[in-house]
Amino acid sequence: MENKRNDPTLTPLMRQYLDIKKKHPNEILFFRLGDFYEMFFEDARVASKALDIVLTSRQNDIPMCGIPYHASESYIARLIKAGHRVAICEQMEATPSSGTVVRRDVVRVITPGTVIEQNLLAGDDNNFLASIVLLEKEIGLAFVDVSTGDFFLSAIPRSLDLYRGEIARFAPREAILHGRGAEEDEPFAAHVRARNIPVNRINDWLYDIDYMTGTITQAYALASVKGLGITGGAEILAAGSILEYLKDTHRRAFDHLKLPQRIVSSDRMILDEATIAHLELIVNAQDGTKHRTLFALLNRARTPMGRRALERALLQPLLLTADIERRLDIVQYFFEYHGLLDDVRAALSGVMDIERVLTRIAAGRVNPRDLLAIARSARSADAVRDVLSPQPHELVAALAAGIPPLGELAARIEATIEDEPALSPEHGRVVRKGYSPELDRLYELKKDARTWVIEYQEEQKRELGIPTLRVKYNRVLGYYIEVSKGQAVKVPSEYLRKQTLVGAERYTTETLQKFEEDILSSSEKIKELEEGEIRVLTEEIVSARSALQAAASAVAEIDLFASLAASAIEHRFTRPRFNEDGITDIREGRHPVVERYYTQEVFIPNDLALNAHGSHILLLTGPNMSGKSTYIRMAAVIQLMAQIGSFVPAASADLTPVDRIFTRIGSSDNISRGESTFLVEMNETAVILNNATPRSLIIMDEVGRGTSTFDGLSIAWAVLEYILRYIKAKTLFATHYHELTKLGEKPGVANYNVLVREHLGAVEFLHKVGPGTADKSYGIHVARLAGIPREITARAAKILERLEKSGRAKGADEQDDASEQLEMFNAANHLVIRAIQAIDLDSITPLDAINELNRLKKLIT
Ligand SMILES: Nc1ncnc2c1ncn2[C@@H]1O[C@H](COP(=O)(O)OP(=O)(O)OP(=O)(O)O)[C@@H](O)[C@H]1O
Ligand SMILES: [Mg+2]
């Protein structure tokens, strides 16, 4: 391409294109030409393929393709989803101010983490861009959702585990990464790549504390960053770099971004990647969607802000009892006053995605319906305040006070914009009738041009006393008044002669000229005036930005509480109580997600007590499918729900706030990360052992399962012993290793099992947990239920019996003999083999062969 630039046969337009393209080697350049965006060269090849549009060529065989600009959003969406970046190059003037081509410039670079278009966003979900700054001792993290203005900031110690947790929590769509180029940075970079998050970099030299401090203070017009509470270099570099990147991609002031909110680790629970995944908080393990998750269960939010707030709350449980109780107080108030809850939720339903609408408006992508959305949302927010502010509960009334009065703004918008405005002034009426006399006149004029002409003609006839006077129109003269020669003497001096014909004179008047001008330019003028009104309104909305954002945050919080209350009522939850004695005492607890989505009959509630009787480790044995995993997860889920301020699925729950919830559950293979099941299991176990404290809750499901029995058992044993002796964390440990129950005899550990009833050879799962140990696994029973062929389960039962007699130490093979091995085969198989041996291939006819084959097949099916 480079060598083409100096090609003298290139048109000035192509030369301009190449100059701009040179600055955007990594983007597909959308080059505006009239009503189209054109792409050339390699961009055209890539885009035509990705978008399935025709590749043509221009002079000099330049490959090109184009899309109409008004339909560009969906095409851009497809390119972004396919992993491309798109640079939008617009015409910056209507006619060339110098030279032969109009000035063009890139106005925006669209990347997955910086989109604001509705089409490009996945539903209500936050769309975060991350900036990751890897320093020697710590990591600075900034997360910005451009579409909502959310901006979060944190600095964490340089630990892969904590880092993974933060990435899982925010699930960014794109990241900018900065390290010191050291090899130790590789695992951090690799983690983002493994999650398919596109990684970009900005200039290394920008990562300078003074420079980035300047970037931040400039962006928010601050004197210093002190007011933001930012102190550390890691946070400054992360915040600064993300702002630099946004400047680069959006090319305009970013004044709708909220102030960076620091995530303080001392009042929010750290959740690691494994726990977020295992507890299926936001997405499920089967298909990665939000269905059948804790989020789905609790989400009764009425607004997009509320849904995002709930998601954030789930991923940032609280640590301080006072914070938790504050939330619970409000939830309880809504829970008890159903009528109030209904009223609040009804009012909330009218609040639209203020944050995103505001972003679009501030970015200059104004759609009249977005303006109305602001008005409607402002009215609804007012209604929410009116419902809540008279409430006697201090905290509830305080929530209402968070919504600033927005009635005036709403009234302004409603007075200006039609109830059902056109998509834009080009498409029809936007400004309300009666708002602007000038606009109304123009619309009338346009609509009533014919009537006006007739009325004017009649009026002139009367005034001049010329019954034959006519107002006419033709392309050359436009509008004119025609009077016959004989009557011309009656024409007053204000009449201006336009043309003289044989038998008639043609005139115009100032009024008619004005009418003509108006009519010809009324469409233009209407558009201009309407755009002007929209602009004024837009400015008013943008200057009310902080009030609108405050309303959005207050609505988000209220909706979060209303949602928690509504789901508590719906699912029969109760308010948890907190103690500082380390005691966990849950009566009739349920696993809400299993209960709601996975139980055919009734869910059997279970009690759970830790520390109450001196044991902080609960060792759970029980048959397969009995409910071990469900029980221990229930403990974690109830604890987590309580710490976000939700009611919990139990008859009663006494809990102590925990500092972290650790989970080691099932096999979470991560083949894409190139780690084996067992390695993942040991990694997660290591994280737990290295980080848990006496105030933590640990859930371990069949640790050691991924390796040979003895290795597994020994590891499980040692891990438990370590927790018992050194960590002293509350621990629920589900296992099939019955040998471990010996540990249960030690002080601090209690043996529990899930009960089953066995009668007439059938096994019934009671799903009831009680003290004691299980004596059998019933694994073979479950295998039979699952459809494993009878001969195999029968054989397994025999092997099991022998193993149990001789102690588990010996494997089955040592004692097997050839004839028993053969039992594995069905007798029918022997018949088939014999029959095949008996066939005489020399004498059999093709038809007989087929018949025989058919018979054999029947034998084995
Ligand atoms: N308390 C309960 N009430 C009703 N059904 C339950 C209960 N607990 C579990 N179940 C049902 O039993 C199924 C199996 O439960 P779970 O996976 O917890 O068993 P498990 O003991 O961990 O089995 P495995 O040893 O095979 O891992 C669940 O999917 C659920 O449908
Ligand atoms: Mg299990």
Side-chain angles (χ1 to χ4, degrees):
M1 210 192 288
E2 192 53 29
N3 48 4
K4 281 210 167 97
R5 260 181 79 231
N6 300 321
D7 182 344
T9 63
L10 267 185
T11 58
L13 185 77
M14 280 321 287
R15 222 167 274 144
Q16 181 189 45
Y17 170 84
L18 291 173
D19 279 339
I20 296 172
K21 177 62 198 174
K22 204 170 76 167
K23 292 183 224 146
H24 293 277
N26 300 322
E27 284 91 36
I28 292 180
L29 184 66
F30 274 37
F31 192 70
R32 182 74 179 266
L33 274 177
D35 282 344
F36 279 79
Y37 287 120
E38 302 288 357
M39 288 151 271
F40 302 103
F41 301 107
E42 193 52 29
D43 284 357
R45 285 200 197 91
V46 173
S48 65
K49 229 188 198 160
L51 300 175
D52 203 11
I53 51 177
V54 191
L55 187 68
T56 56
S57 65
R58 211 174 158 84
Q59 29 150 187
N60 298 2
D61 290 330
I62 298 172
M64 65 174 279
C65 65
I67 51 153
Y69 98 98
H70 60 82
S72 61
E73 239 185 55
S74 66
Y75 288 107
I76 295 171
R78 278 157 70 190
L79 288 175
I80 299 290
K81 274 184 198 133
H84 300 289
R85 295 156 61 88
V86 175
I88 307 289
C89 175
E90 295 290 357
Q91 293 172 187
M92 306 307 279
E93 52 194 15
T95 50
S97 51
S98 70
T100 51
V101 289
V102 296
R103 204 162 53 77
R104 288 187 175 79
D105 209 350
V106 169
V107 295
R108 197 168 150 215
V109 176
I110 304 176
T111 69
T114 60
V115 295
I116 56 173
E117 291 77 4
Q118 227 160 353
N119 259 333
L120 297 176
L121 293 162
D124 296 340
D125 289 359
N126 267 126
N127 191 82
F128 282 115
L129 166 72
S131 175
I132 302 164
V133 182
L134 303 166
L135 301 179
E136 200 184 336
K137 294 240 162 56
E138 54 178 349
I139 301 173
L141 292 167
F143 298 93
V144 163
D145 180 340
V146 179
S147 68
T148 61
D150 287 321
F151 191 164
F152 297 99
L153 204 54
S154 77
I156 55 171
R158 200 184 154 101
S159 128
L160 199 52
D161 156 46
L162 292 178
Y163 167 80
R164 283 180 172 180
E166 292 301 280
I167 299 294
R169 177 137 79 167
F170 287 92
R173 306 283 152 96
E174 180 184 356
I176 22 178
L177 188 93
H178 172 76
R180 293 159 306 143
E183 211 176 290
E184 307 92 82
D185 289 347
E186 181 46 28
F188 294 91
H191 177 68
V192 220
R193 282 199 306 270
R195 290 187 59 128
N196 284 324
I197 302 168
V199 179
N200 292 296
R201 285 167 199 278
I202 60 171
N203 270 329
D204 266 347
W205 59 264
L206 291 173
Y207 286 88
D208 171 86
I209 306 245
D210 289 336
Y211 182 83
M212 289 301 198
T213 306
T215 303
I216 300 168
T217 50
Q218 242 173 42
Y220 290 103
L222 299 168
S224 86
V225 293
K226 281 215 188 77
L228 300 174
I230 306 177
T231 46
E235 283 177 327
I236 289 177
L237 294 182
S241 55
I242 213 160
L243 290 169
E244 286 292 334
Y245 187 73
L246 290 178
K247 259 202 287 192
D248 211 38
T249 53
H250 279 253
R251 311 275 160 122
R252 56 188 294 152
F254 248 86
D255 42 11
H256 73 277
L257 274 195
K258 298 174 193 165
L259 286 172
Q261 196 182 328
R262 297 176 68 228
I263 301 167
V264 184
S265 50
S266 59
D267 55 31
R268 293 293 149 102
M269 190 194 293
I270 298 168
L271 285 180
D272 44 87
E273 192 184 11
T275 301
I276 294 170
H278 289 155
L279 295 183
E280 299 183 298
L281 298 182
I282 307 296
V283 297
N284 69 40
Q286 290 122 44
D287 58 9
T289 65
K290 292 187 167 180
H291 303 298
R292 286 168 272 117
T293 58
L294 191 56
F295 173 78
L297 190 90
L298 296 180
N299 176 23
R300 296 294 175 270
R302 289 295 172 91
T303 70
M305 281 79 70
R307 285 187 277 279
R308 290 194 289 268
L310 175 62
E311 191 167 326
R312 275 205 292 275
L314 273 168
L315 293 174
Q316 300 186 8
L318 304 171
L319 291 181
L320 309 174
T321 312
D323 292 347
I324 302 170
E325 296 283 11
R326 173 187 164 264
R327 284 196 189 168
L328 286 171
D329 281 350
I330 301 171
V331 172
Q332 181 171 353
Y333 193 80
F334 285 143
F335 182 88
E336 282 171 3
Y337 298 99
H338 285 233
L340 173 73
L341 179 60
D342 289 347
D343 291 349
V344 170
R345 297 181 75 216
L348 284 168
S349 316
V351 185
M352 299 156 94
D353 203 337
I354 305 180
E355 294 177 333
R356 286 202 169 146
V357 173
L358 203 53
T359 298
R360 287 201 294 271
I361 292 176
R365 315 180 131 255
V366 185
N367 164 337
R369 287 171 199 188
D370 277 347
L371 302 177
L372 277 191
I374 293 283
R376 188 165 166 223
S377 304
R379 290 279 184 219
S380 302
D382 272 354
V384 172
R385 193 192 39 240
D386 291 346
V387 172
L388 294 185
S389 51
Q391 297 302 320
H393 196 293
E394 206 180 303
L395 292 174
V396 175
L399 285 178
I403 303 176
L406 294 164
E408 250 172 67
L409 180 68
R412 264 286 291 138
I413 298 170
E414 287 158 357
T416 316
I417 305 290
E418 281 275 318
D419 286 340
E420 286 186 15
L423 277 175
S424 79
E426 280 164 40
H427 292 87
R429 189 143 195 170
V430 170
V431 173
R432 184 184 282 280
K433 207 171 165 185
Y435 178 74
S436 148
E438 176 65 0
L439 258 175
D440 287 352
R441 193 183 67 81
L442 288 168
Y443 269 115
E444 278 307 301
L445 209 63
K446 227 178 120 183
K447 195 172 97 203
D448 300 335
R450 272 195 71 82
T451 336
W452 187 89
V453 167
I454 291 165
E455 273 170 12
Y456 184 64
Q457 175 180 291
E458 295 311 307
E459 179 192 297
Q460 293 300 306
K461 266 190 204 169
R462 249 189 343 266
E463 276 182 17
L464 308 188
I466 311 175
T468 54
L469 178 148
R470 293 279 175 277
V471 178
K472 290 185 172 178
Y473 174 84
N474 75 30
R475 275 173 176 275
V476 183
L477 290 183
Y479 287 92
Y480 56 88
I481 302 167
E482 195 173 276
V483 176
S484 66
K485 272 256 155 68
Q487 302 286 339
V489 287
K490 294 186 181 167
V491 166
S493 58
E494 309 94 83
Y495 268 49
L496 308 167
R497 197 190 311 271
K498 266 195 149 174
Q499 198 179 31
T500 304
L501 300 180
V502 182
E505 292 287 349
R506 288 173 172 178
Y507 304 92
T508 184
T509 63
E510 245 176 61
T511 315
L512 192 60
Q513 266 174 344
K514 173 114 176 41
F515 166 78
E516 177 168 354
E517 257 169 46
D518 286 351
I519 209 68
L520 293 181
S521 63
S522 63
S523 301
E524 262 311 292
K525 267 201 181 147
I526 284 172
K527 193 174 153 232
E528 218 170 85
L529 283 175
E530 292 216 313
E531 279 171 354
E533 294 299 346
I534 293 173
R535 212 164 25 245
V536 171
L537 213 48
T538 301
E539 274 159 23
E540 282 176 42
I541 292 171
V542 170
S543 53
R545 192 179 52 227
S546 345
L548 285 165
Q549 269 173 352
S553 321
V555 160
E557 219 191 356
I558 294 165
D559 201 14
L560 166 66
F561 295 129
S563 176
L564 290 176
S567 55
I569 293 168
E570 185 180 331
H571 305 300
R572 297 172 294 116
F573 295 161
T574 48
R575 177 171 180 163
R577 289 183 297 255
F578 287 95
N579 64 73
E580 294 298 325
D581 313 325
I583 288 175
T584 297
D585 187 357
I586 297 171
R587 300 290 162 86
E588 295 182 26
R590 287 124 49 208
H591 188 306
V593 175
V594 175
E595 176 182 39
R596 169 73 180 74
Y597 300 109
Y598 294 102
T599 311
Q600 273 111 34
E601 294 157 36
V602 279
F603 191 91
I604 313 295
N606 274 303
D607 298 346
L608 169 67
L610 288 172
N611 273 358
H613 312 292
S615 321
H616 62 92
I617 298 183
L618 196 150
L619 204 58
L620 186 65
T621 47
N624 290 102
M625 283 296 286
S626 58
K628 296 182 298 300
S629 302
T630 306
Y631 181 75
I632 63 173
R633 275 175 223 224
M634 168 192 88
V637 168
I638 287 181
Q639 185 76 41
L640 185 128
M641 287 173 75
Q643 287 190 240
I644 68 163
S646 168
F647 281 23
V648 296
S652 73
D654 285 285
L655 305 166
T656 301
V658 299
D659 60 0
R660 270 182 85 164
I661 296 172
F662 291 97
T663 53
R664 159 80 284 277
I665 288 177
S667 60
S668 51
D669 265 79
N670 200 331
I671 294 163
S672 65
R673 218 191 269 156
E675 293 170 349
S676 77
T677 312
F678 185 63
L679 184 60
V680 170
E681 182 178 331
M682 286 302 109
N683 267 336
E684 290 180 6
T685 308
V687 166
I688 297 174
L689 297 177
N690 292 327
N691 294 285
T693 76
R695 285 181 68 87
S696 307
L697 175 65
I698 304 177
I699 302 297
M700 284 188 166
D701 202 351
E702 301 187 25
V703 165
R705 190 176 55 172
T707 185
S708 79
T709 315
F710 284 123
D711 283 11
L713 175 57
S714 326
I715 291 171
W717 188 293
V719 164
L720 262 177
E721 233 173 31
Y722 187 85
I723 296 173
L724 179 62
R725 263 198 222 148
Y726 302 108
I727 301 182
K728 303 193 188 324
K730 279 190 277 246
T731 305
L732 292 158
F733 199 101
T735 185
H736 283 291
Y737 298 133
H738 295 269
E739 293 82 349
L740 279 179
T741 55
K742 290 211 188 68
L743 262 179
E745 290 151 21
K746 297 198 176 197
V749 190
N751 278 321
Y752 273 73
N753 73 345
V754 199
L755 310 174
V756 289
R757 189 159 54 203
E758 202 178 353
H759 65 130
L760 303 174
V763 180
E764 190 190 345
F765 295 114
L766 300 177
H767 302 305
K768 201 75 195 165
V769 175
T773 61
D775 48 355
K776 287 197 205 164
S777 271
Y778 299 96
I780 294 171
H781 170 78
V782 174
R784 211 177 291 141
L785 287 182
I788 301 268
R790 285 289 154 139
E791 52 270 40
I792 295 181
T793 50
R795 168 73 175 147
K798 260 199 172 159
I799 297 173
L800 176 67
E801 200 179 313
R802 190 171 301 160
L803 282 171
E804 279 176 345
K805 259 190 228 138
S806 62
R808 281 147 199 266
K810 289 181 191 154
D813 290 349
E814 300 166 31
Q815 298 164 33
D816 275 334
D817 60 45
S819 70
E820 277 190 327
Q821 291 268 348
L822 277 175
E823 274 177 34
M824 302 273 300
F825 294 97
N826 191 300
N829 297 0
H830 291 283
L831 284 179
V832 172
I833 292 167
R834 259 192 245 136
I836 294 172
Q837 280 168 338
I839 296 173
D840 182 4
L841 287 178
D842 290 330
S843 64
I844 197 163
T845 66
L847 185 66
D848 284 344
I850 289 193
N851 285 336
E852 181 65 10
L853 202 54
N854 195 24
R855 193 178 70 83
L856 293 178
K857 238 188 131 186
K858 278 197 186 124
L859 274 178
I860 52 172
T861 47

